[in-house]
Amino acid sequence: MAMGRPRAFDVDEALDKALSVFWEKGYEGASLSELTSAMGIKPPSLYAAFGNKEGLFRRALDRYEEVKGGLMDEALAAPGVRQAMEQLLCHAASLQCEKGAPHGCMLVTAGLAGGEESSAIRDELARRRQASCTRIRKRFERAKKEGDLPGDTNPAALARYVTAVMNGISVQAAGGATKKELQQVAEMALKVLPV
Amino acid sequence: MAMGRPRAFDVDEALDKALSVFWEKGYEGASLSELTSAMGIKPPSLYAAFGNKEGLFRRALDRYEEVKGGLMDEALAAPGVRQAMEQLLCHAASLQCEKGAPHGCMLVTAGLAGGEESSAIRDELARRRQASCTRIRKRFERAKKEGDLPGDTNPAALARYVTAVMNGISVQAAGGATKKELQQVAEMALKVLPV
DNA sequence: ATGGTTTTTTAGTTCCCACTACATAAACAT
DNA sequence: ATGTTTATGTAGTGGGAACTAAAAAACCAT
């Protein structure tokens, strides 16, 4: 059987370009012409490879979380829960207002409100934020079991609090806050930890 | 001189309807046909009264802040800074996931990322979030002066922290968090206060 | 080389967006 | 009543959105 014409672009490179656009403009704000021109391909190639705009976004999101999720695991892997949270929040604060990348976490900025037609995307973003919160909660549960946190600690509530601070840092980063300001926020937030 | 045909709709009522739509769908996600049909008027009436979509949004935003700003003043007016922050955060937590209104603060949800053509709106939203942060800072400065906070307190940093928590609460509310969960977040956040 | 398979290119499609020209209607001043 | 002014309803405008039909191109197997 014949193999057909080979793809002329690299899927992962194209996804990275798409990711940049979606990250900066959000799901609804990114137009197909911006996406295709950033990716260096024409619409039919995009549709053949990714289905539609929504499919492309989900793939770009996967790629985003591959990277960011790795950093999160790294932070959570710190030996003590205090250091883990320090890393988590401080890295978030500095990564989210770096030059060269859009400010704020994409899971927050890419779509909180929007038209009916993109509600599935908003749900997906909320689901992934929730998943990230769950990972933090698991880290707190482990710490509690290991005696790294007092027995009366509520891991779920503490995880939601840390998540809220990170989300808040994203909002402020998107609004133009400086790295120093966000690091102060992270520092204050850590005072809640009973460690 | 003649007075002309009187307006057949109430501007404030129309703004409230527009506000609902913008709050739920964001600036870009709200279409003119949704807006006009919610407001019960036809496009020419809208343009005559408010200029364009951007003008309408700004007026709706003014109305939003009239209400929410009042509640904020009320909270900040509490005698002690601790009570002030308790009210601020707890009210935010419960108001932001009420049935009958969109979840999350509109200043956060209506637009964090988007196309070039709506960048002025995003700047405006960021400016207003910043203004709200400044009011909190002023309250901390007063508390410091009154001896309600220790002398080594950094009012600006503390205000940004509280703002970040509120913004994070908005993100979680938009994502479907429950009132109880958000109130736990508020409660934990308050532990940072040295009072 | 030829046929089969898949991708790319070109050039559109339809639809909905924000916005408006124009004629009509409703008020007041004279 | 008539003219002036402003608001309204009808019916559109041009433009950009997401998406695609069809032909040409690039590969492999025989």
Side-chain angles (χ1 to χ4, degrees):
Chain A
M1 62 185 89
M3 296 283 280
R5 177 172 177 170
R7 193 164 266 148
F9 64 96
D10 182 87
V11 171
D12 285 338
E13 277 178 28
L15 276 175
D16 282 338
K17 301 293 188 181
L19 173 56
S20 293
V21 177
F22 278 129
W23 194 355
E24 179 160 354
K25 313 230 169 176
Y27 175 70
E28 288 188 329
S31 76
L32 252 106
S33 59
E34 286 170 322
L35 288 164
T36 50
S37 84
M39 297 164 84
I41 62 177
K42 305 271 162 69
S45 299
L46 190 155
Y47 283 87
F50 307 106
N52 56 16
K53 187 183 177 183
E54 187 171 330
L56 175 63
F57 183 79
R58 287 179 199 273
R59 294 282 302 271
L61 210 51
D62 288 339
R63 215 164 156 71
Y64 178 77
E65 290 210 281
E66 255 176 57
V67 179
K68 302 299 173 183
L71 293 176
M72 187 168 188
D73 283 334
E74 225 176 278
L76 291 181
V81 70
R82 166 100 199 171
Q83 298 151 270
M85 293 303 138
E86 266 175 25
Q87 275 201 45
L88 193 63
L89 288 173
C90 293
H91 285 187
S94 62
L95 286 177
Q96 290 184 12
C97 57
E98 261 189 339
K99 287 193 188 297
H103 291 184
C105 170
M106 183 179 175
L107 297 184
V108 172
T109 60
L112 287 181
E116 193 81 22
E117 68 280 0
S118 59
S119 71
I121 291 297
R122 285 193 300 283
D123 290 348
E124 174 73 16
L125 288 168
R127 233 205 60 233
R128 299 201 188 210
R129 288 196 303 270
Q130 181 60 44
S132 147
C133 182
T134 300
R135 287 162 70 188
I136 299 176
R137 192 198 74 211
K138 292 228 163 88
R139 182 64 183 82
F140 281 133
E141 283 169 353
R142 181 189 129 192
K144 191 174 169 183
K145 197 165 292 180
E146 290 174 348
D148 202 4
L149 278 176
D152 63 347
T153 308
N154 182 339
L158 206 50
R160 275 192 297 269
Y161 163 74
V162 171
T163 301
V165 171
M166 291 185 73
N167 290 341
I169 284 175
S170 282
V171 173
Q172 297 205 11
T178 69
K179 190 174 297 194
K180 188 189 282 182
E181 288 168 345
L182 298 185
Q183 277 169 344
Q184 280 181 328
V185 169
E187 207 177 308
M188 300 220 118
L190 288 167
K191 293 188 183 166
V192 167
L193 293 183
V195 200
Chain B
M1 61 183 93
M3 296 282 280
R5 176 173 177 171
R7 192 165 267 146
F9 65 94
D10 182 86
V11 171
D12 285 337
E13 276 177 29
L15 275 175
D16 282 337
K17 300 292 188 182
L19 173 57
S20 292
V21 177
F22 278 130
W23 194 355
E24 179 160 354
K25 313 230 169 175
Y27 176 70
E28 287 188 330
S31 76
L32 252 104
S33 58
E34 287 170 321
L35 288 164
T36 50
S37 82
M39 297 165 84
I41 62 178
K42 303 273 160 68
S45 299
L46 190 156
Y47 283 87
F50 306 106
N52 56 15
K53 186 182 177 182
E54 187 172 330
L56 175 63
F57 183 79
R58 288 180 199 273
R59 293 283 301 273
L61 210 53
D62 287 339
R63 215 164 154 72
Y64 178 76
E65 290 210 282
E66 255 177 58
V67 178
K68 303 297 173 185
L71 292 177
M72 187 169 189
D73 282 334
E74 225 176 280
L76 292 181
V81 70
R82 167 97 199 173
Q83 299 151 271
M85 293 303 138
E86 267 174 24
Q87 274 202 45
L88 194 62
L89 289 173
C90 293
H91 285 187
S94 61
L95 286 176
Q96 289 184 13
C97 56
E98 261 189 340
K99 286 194 188 297
H103 291 186
C105 171
M106 183 179 176
L107 297 183
V108 173
T109 60
L112 288 181
E116 194 80 24
E117 68 280 0
S118 58
S119 71
I121 290 297
R122 285 192 300 284
D123 291 348
E124 174 74 15
L125 288 168
R127 233 204 60 233
R128 298 200 189 210
R129 289 195 302 269
Q130 181 60 44
S132 146
C133 182
T134 300
R135 288 161 70 189
I136 298 175
R137 192 198 76 212
K138 292 228 163 89
R139 183 63 184 83
F140 281 132
E141 283 169 352
R142 181 190 129 191
K144 191 174 169 183
K145 196 165 291 178
E146 289 174 349
D148 202 5
L149 278 176
D152 63 347
T153 309
N154 181 341
L158 207 49
R160 275 192 297 267
Y161 163 75
V162 170
T163 301
V165 172
M166 291 185 73
N167 290 341
I169 285 176
S170 282
V171 173
Q172 297 206 10
T178 69
K179 190 175 294 194
K180 189 189 282 183
E181 289 169 344
L182 298 185
Q183 277 170 344
Q184 279 182 328
V185 169
E187 205 178 310
M188 300 222 118
L190 287 167
K191 294 188 183 168
V192 167
L193 294 183
V195 200

